[in-house]
Amino acid sequence: MTNSVPVIEIRDLHKSYGSLEVLKGVDITAPAGHVVSLIGSSGSGKSTLLRCANLLEDSQQGDVIFCGEAVTWKGTGLNRRPGDHAQMIRIRTNLSMVFQQFNLWAHMTILQNVMEAPVTVLKRPKAEVEASARAYLDKVGIGDKCDAYPAQLSGGQQQRAAIARALCMKPKALLFDEPTSALDPELEQEVIRVIKDLAAEGRTMIIVTHDMRLAADVSDHVVFLHQGRIEEQGAPDALFANPTTERLRGFLSATVA
Protein backbone atom coordinates (compact mmCIF):
# COMPACT_ATOMS: atom_id res chain seq x y z
CA MET A 1 0.00 0.00 0.00
CA THR A 2 1.65 3.25 -1.09
CA ASN A 3 0.69 6.85 -0.85
CA SER A 4 2.93 9.84 -1.51
CA VAL A 5 1.44 11.78 1.43
CA PRO A 6 2.38 10.30 4.84
CA VAL A 7 -0.45 9.63 7.28
CA ILE A 8 1.56 11.18 10.12
CA GLU A 9 4.54 13.49 9.80
CA ILE A 10 6.27 15.19 12.71
CA ARG A 11 8.94 17.81 12.14
CA ASP A 12 11.32 19.32 14.70
CA LEU A 13 8.98 18.58 17.61
CA HIS A 14 9.84 20.03 21.00
CA LYS A 15 7.90 19.24 24.17
CA SER A 16 8.54 20.53 27.68
CA TYR A 17 6.89 20.14 31.04
CA GLY A 18 7.80 23.43 32.64
CA SER A 19 11.59 23.67 32.53
CA LEU A 20 12.01 19.96 31.69
CA GLU A 21 12.48 19.45 27.95
CA VAL A 22 11.30 15.94 27.08
CA LEU A 23 11.48 16.09 23.26
CA LYS A 24 14.32 18.08 21.75
CA GLY A 25 13.58 18.33 18.04
CA VAL A 26 12.22 15.02 16.72
CA ASP A 27 11.28 14.15 13.13
CA ILE A 28 9.15 11.09 12.36
CA THR A 29 7.25 9.99 9.26
CA ALA A 30 4.65 7.22 9.09
CA PRO A 31 3.74 6.53 5.45
CA ALA A 32 0.44 4.85 4.65
CA GLY A 33 0.59 1.12 5.29
CA HIS A 34 3.83 1.31 7.27
CA VAL A 35 4.60 0.32 10.86
CA VAL A 36 6.97 2.57 12.80
CA SER A 37 8.20 1.37 16.19
CA LEU A 38 9.61 3.67 18.86
CA ILE A 39 12.10 2.09 21.23
CA GLY A 40 14.25 3.44 24.03
CA SER A 41 14.61 3.40 27.79
CA SER A 42 12.04 4.85 30.19
CA GLY A 43 12.07 8.61 30.08
CA SER A 44 13.39 8.80 26.52
CA GLY A 45 10.21 10.51 25.29
CA LYS A 46 8.53 7.66 23.39
CA SER A 47 5.06 7.87 24.95
CA THR A 48 5.17 11.67 25.01
CA LEU A 49 5.89 11.68 21.28
CA LEU A 50 2.92 9.40 20.65
CA ARG A 51 0.62 11.63 22.72
CA CYS A 52 1.84 14.72 20.88
CA ALA A 53 1.09 13.02 17.55
CA ASN A 54 -2.47 12.40 18.74
CA LEU A 55 -2.77 15.95 20.15
CA LEU A 56 -3.35 14.58 23.65
CA GLU A 57 -0.33 16.66 24.63
CA ASP A 58 0.53 20.14 23.40
CA SER A 59 4.00 20.60 21.93
CA GLN A 60 5.90 23.87 22.16
CA GLN A 61 7.57 23.92 18.76
CA GLY A 62 7.49 22.02 15.46
CA ASP A 63 4.87 20.69 13.07
CA VAL A 64 2.35 17.87 13.37
CA ILE A 65 0.99 17.00 9.92
CA PHE A 66 -1.86 14.55 9.37
CA CYS A 67 -2.49 13.32 5.80
CA GLY A 68 -0.80 16.46 4.48
CA GLU A 69 -2.79 18.81 6.74
CA ALA A 70 -0.67 20.73 9.25
CA VAL A 71 -2.12 21.32 12.71
CA THR A 72 -2.79 25.01 13.24
CA TRP A 73 -1.54 26.51 16.52
CA LYS A 74 -2.20 29.59 18.58
CA GLY A 75 0.15 30.99 21.20
CA THR A 76 3.83 30.21 21.59
CA GLY A 77 6.08 28.17 23.84
CA LEU A 78 4.34 26.70 26.90
CA ASN A 79 1.17 28.58 25.91
CA ARG A 80 0.94 26.94 22.46
CA ARG A 81 -2.37 25.14 21.84
CA PRO A 82 -4.18 23.75 18.78
CA GLY A 83 -5.83 26.74 17.11
CA ASP A 84 -8.72 24.96 15.40
CA HIS A 85 -10.89 22.81 17.69
CA ALA A 86 -12.78 21.15 14.82
CA GLN A 87 -9.49 20.20 13.17
CA MET A 88 -8.17 18.75 16.44
CA ILE A 89 -11.27 16.57 16.89
CA ARG A 90 -11.15 15.42 13.27
CA ILE A 91 -7.50 14.39 13.57
CA ARG A 92 -8.01 12.65 16.91
CA THR A 93 -10.93 10.60 15.63
CA ASN A 94 -8.74 9.38 12.75
CA LEU A 95 -5.89 8.32 15.06
CA SER A 96 -7.07 5.56 17.38
CA MET A 97 -4.88 5.03 20.42
CA VAL A 98 -4.42 1.81 22.38
CA PHE A 99 -3.01 2.42 25.85
CA GLN A 100 -0.96 0.33 28.26
CA GLN A 101 -3.92 0.35 30.66
CA PHE A 102 -6.94 -0.85 28.75
CA ASN A 103 -9.21 2.09 29.69
CA LEU A 104 -12.40 0.08 29.20
CA TRP A 105 -15.57 1.32 30.89
CA ALA A 106 -16.27 -1.10 33.73
CA HIS A 107 -20.06 -0.56 33.70
CA MET A 108 -20.41 -1.43 29.99
CA THR A 109 -20.25 -4.79 28.27
CA ILE A 110 -17.39 -5.42 25.86
CA LEU A 111 -19.72 -4.87 22.90
CA GLN A 112 -20.97 -1.58 24.37
CA ASN A 113 -17.37 -0.46 24.97
CA VAL A 114 -16.48 -1.04 21.32
CA MET A 115 -19.65 0.66 20.04
CA GLU A 116 -19.63 3.73 22.28
CA ALA A 117 -17.33 6.13 20.39
CA PRO A 118 -18.52 5.42 16.82
CA VAL A 119 -22.14 5.95 17.94
CA THR A 120 -21.66 8.97 20.23
CA VAL A 121 -18.69 10.73 18.58
CA LEU A 122 -19.06 9.81 14.90
CA LYS A 123 -22.89 9.58 15.04
CA ARG A 124 -22.89 6.42 12.98
CA PRO A 125 -26.09 4.31 12.89
CA LYS A 126 -26.26 1.95 15.85
CA ALA A 127 -27.11 -1.16 13.81
CA GLU A 128 -24.21 -0.56 11.44
CA VAL A 129 -21.81 0.02 14.35
CA GLU A 130 -22.98 -3.12 16.16
CA ALA A 131 -22.29 -5.24 13.07
CA SER A 132 -18.81 -3.69 12.77
CA ALA A 133 -18.11 -4.09 16.49
CA ARG A 134 -19.03 -7.78 16.46
CA ALA A 135 -16.86 -8.33 13.38
CA TYR A 136 -13.85 -6.62 15.02
CA LEU A 137 -14.31 -8.60 18.23
CA ASP A 138 -14.33 -11.77 16.11
CA LYS A 139 -11.22 -10.51 14.36
CA VAL A 140 -9.28 -10.16 17.63
CA GLY A 141 -10.51 -13.55 18.83
CA ILE A 142 -13.04 -12.60 21.53
CA GLY A 143 -16.31 -12.58 19.62
CA ASP A 144 -17.76 -14.84 22.32
CA LYS A 145 -17.17 -12.15 24.99
CA CYS A 146 -19.57 -9.50 23.62
CA ASP A 147 -21.87 -9.66 26.65
CA ALA A 148 -19.13 -9.98 29.27
CA TYR A 149 -17.91 -7.05 31.36
CA PRO A 150 -14.23 -6.02 31.49
CA ALA A 151 -13.73 -7.44 34.99
CA GLN A 152 -14.71 -10.88 33.66
CA LEU A 153 -11.90 -10.88 31.09
CA SER A 154 -8.18 -11.56 31.38
CA GLY A 155 -5.75 -8.72 30.74
CA GLY A 156 -4.97 -10.05 27.28
CA GLN A 157 -8.67 -10.23 26.43
CA GLN A 158 -9.23 -6.70 27.71
CA GLN A 159 -6.38 -5.39 25.58
CA ARG A 160 -7.78 -7.17 22.53
CA ALA A 161 -11.15 -5.54 23.28
CA ALA A 162 -9.35 -2.18 23.39
CA ILE A 163 -7.83 -2.92 19.97
CA ALA A 164 -11.28 -3.82 18.59
CA ARG A 165 -12.59 -0.54 20.01
CA ALA A 166 -9.79 1.35 18.23
CA LEU A 167 -10.50 -0.45 14.95
CA CYS A 168 -14.22 0.28 15.14
CA MET A 169 -13.46 3.98 14.72
CA LYS A 170 -12.09 3.05 11.26
CA PRO A 171 -9.01 5.22 11.82
CA LYS A 172 -6.37 6.14 9.29
CA ALA A 173 -3.68 5.04 11.78
CA LEU A 174 -3.39 3.11 15.03
CA LEU A 175 -1.15 4.32 17.85
CA PHE A 176 -0.03 1.74 20.42
CA ASP A 177 1.51 2.88 23.71
CA GLU A 178 3.27 -0.13 25.30
CA PRO A 179 0.30 -2.40 24.47
CA THR A 180 1.79 -5.51 26.09
CA SER A 181 3.76 -4.19 29.07
CA ALA A 182 0.94 -4.69 31.62
CA LEU A 183 0.46 -8.33 30.63
CA ASP A 184 1.87 -11.68 31.73
CA PRO A 185 4.05 -13.31 29.03
CA GLU A 186 1.42 -15.82 27.86
CA LEU A 187 -1.28 -13.12 27.61
CA GLU A 188 1.22 -10.84 25.87
CA GLN A 189 1.45 -13.33 23.00
CA GLU A 190 -2.33 -13.09 22.36
CA VAL A 191 -2.02 -9.34 21.81
CA ILE A 192 1.18 -9.63 19.76
CA ARG A 193 -0.57 -12.04 17.38
CA VAL A 194 -3.31 -9.47 16.79
CA ILE A 195 -0.79 -6.67 16.19
CA LYS A 196 1.12 -8.86 13.73
CA ASP A 197 -2.11 -9.60 11.87
CA LEU A 198 -2.89 -5.87 11.63
CA ALA A 199 0.63 -5.18 10.32
CA ALA A 200 0.22 -7.92 7.72
CA GLU A 201 -3.00 -6.22 6.54
CA GLY A 202 -1.02 -3.07 5.76
CA ARG A 203 -2.43 -0.86 8.50
CA THR A 204 -0.56 2.30 9.37
CA MET A 205 0.72 2.04 12.94
CA ILE A 206 3.11 3.72 15.35
CA ILE A 207 4.04 1.41 18.21
CA VAL A 208 5.83 2.35 21.41
CA THR A 209 7.17 -0.95 22.70
CA HIS A 210 9.70 -2.52 25.07
CA ASP A 211 9.43 -5.77 23.08
CA MET A 212 12.35 -5.83 20.64
CA ARG A 213 11.12 -9.01 18.96
CA LEU A 214 7.77 -7.37 18.21
CA ALA A 215 9.54 -4.27 16.85
CA ALA A 216 11.80 -6.46 14.69
CA ASP A 217 8.92 -8.60 13.39
CA VAL A 218 6.31 -5.99 12.46
CA SER A 219 8.16 -2.73 11.74
CA ASP A 220 9.10 -1.12 8.47
CA HIS A 221 11.10 1.46 10.40
CA VAL A 222 12.44 1.57 13.97
CA VAL A 223 13.34 4.75 15.84
CA PHE A 224 15.60 4.65 18.91
CA LEU A 225 15.01 7.63 21.18
CA HIS A 226 17.49 8.68 23.85
CA GLN A 227 16.86 11.63 26.17
CA GLY A 228 14.38 13.25 23.82
CA ARG A 229 16.38 12.94 20.62
CA ILE A 230 16.57 10.36 17.85
CA GLU A 231 19.84 8.57 18.45
CA GLU A 232 19.51 6.07 15.61
CA GLN A 233 16.84 4.87 13.18
CA GLY A 234 16.42 2.58 10.22
CA ALA A 235 15.06 -0.71 8.93
CA PRO A 236 14.73 -3.26 11.76
CA ASP A 237 17.09 -5.86 10.31
CA ALA A 238 19.92 -3.33 9.99
CA LEU A 239 19.19 -1.56 13.26
CA PHE A 240 19.06 -4.67 15.42
CA ALA A 241 21.79 -6.65 13.64
CA ASN A 242 24.28 -3.83 13.27
CA PRO A 243 23.64 -0.85 15.57
CA THR A 244 26.04 1.98 14.80
CA THR A 245 25.89 3.93 18.07
CA GLU A 246 27.24 2.87 21.43
CA ARG A 247 24.01 3.91 23.13
CA LEU A 248 21.85 1.61 20.98
CA ARG A 249 24.32 -1.26 21.43
CA GLY A 250 24.13 -0.78 25.18
CA PHE A 251 20.33 -0.52 25.16
CA LEU A 252 19.92 -3.69 23.07
CA SER A 253 22.36 -5.72 25.17
CA ALA A 254 20.55 -4.64 28.36
CA THR A 255 17.15 -5.46 26.81
CA VAL A 256 18.20 -8.90 25.63
CA ALA A 257 19.99 -9.74 28.89
Side-chain angles (χ1 to χ4, degrees):
M1 181 178 177
T2 57
N3 190 325
S4 58
V5 179
V7 178
I8 301 167
E9 193 173 359
I10 288 171
R11 297 178 187 161
D12 191 33
L13 200 75
H14 292 252
K15 168 66 181 174
S16 297
Y17 295 101
S19 61
L20 176 66
E21 193 176 16
V22 180
L23 297 174
K24 303 170 184 176
V26 175
D27 299 273
I28 283 189
T29 301
H34 282 230
V35 179
V36 177
S37 287
L38 308 179
I39 64 171
S41 55
S42 290
S44 60
K46 308 182 300 296
S47 294
T48 300
L49 178 57
L50 205 65
R51 293 173 69 84
C52 286
N54 201 30
L55 305 180
L56 289 172
E57 296 274 4
D58 296 326
S59 51
Q60 279 70 60
Q61 184 183 320
D63 296 312
V64 177
I65 303 162
F66 176 71
C67 293
E69 179 185 1
V71 173
T72 59
W73 303 97
K74 62 182 179 184
T76 58
L78 292 171
N79 295 315
R80 189 169 93 147
R81 303 285 182 272
D84 182 338
H85 184 73
Q87 179 194 51
M88 179 181 72
I89 297 300
R90 186 173 69 254
I91 290 173
R92 272 193 196 156
T93 54
N94 276 288
L95 295 173
S96 285
M97 195 145 169
V98 178
F99 298 89
Q100 180 177 344
Q101 279 79 28
F102 322 120
N103 291 1
L104 298 171
W105 287 292
H107 66 288
M108 292 183 178
T109 66
I110 295 304
L111 181 62
Q112 289 168 337
N113 264 280
V114 175
M115 290 177 60
E116 179 66 14
V119 171
T120 61
V121 178
L122 301 182
K123 310 297 184 190
R124 281 166 40 200
K126 197 169 182 179
E128 171 200 305
V129 172
E130 181 173 346
S132 288
R134 288 183 182 277
Y136 285 125
L137 286 166
D138 282 339
K139 182 185 187 70
V140 301
I142 53 169
D144 59 332
K145 302 294 183 184
C146 284
D147 299 323
Y149 288 87
Q152 296 171 302
L153 271 59
S154 70
Q157 289 170 331
Q158 289 188 60
Q159 190 61 294
R160 285 186 281 159
I163 294 172
R165 178 179 60 185
L167 289 168
C168 206
M169 290 292 284
K170 298 186 176 174
K172 287 190 163 52
L174 291 160
L175 309 178
F176 289 90
D177 189 5
E178 295 279 15
T180 60
S181 63
L183 303 174
D184 294 333
E186 66 273 18
L187 301 179
E188 193 175 356
Q189 292 310 309
E190 301 173 358
V191 175
I192 286 171
R193 272 195 299 275
V194 171
I195 294 171
K196 285 182 177 178
D197 287 347
L198 295 173
E201 289 175 7
R203 291 184 182 271
T204 310
M205 299 191 278
I206 300 180
I207 304 174
V208 169
T209 184
H210 67 287
D211 186 329
M212 296 304 107
R213 188 171 298 148
L214 173 63
D217 286 351
V218 305
S219 305
D220 297 286
H221 192 75
V222 178
V223 176
F224 171 56
L225 282 167
H226 178 73
Q227 294 182 355
R229 290 190 173 91
I230 294 176
E231 182 79 14
E232 194 168 339
Q233 60 181 315
D237 50 354
L239 200 80
F240 290 121
N242 188 27
T244 60
T245 63
E246 194 58 49
R247 283 201 181 104
L248 180 54
R249 282 195 289 271
F251 172 75
L252 292 175
S253 63
T255 308
V256 172

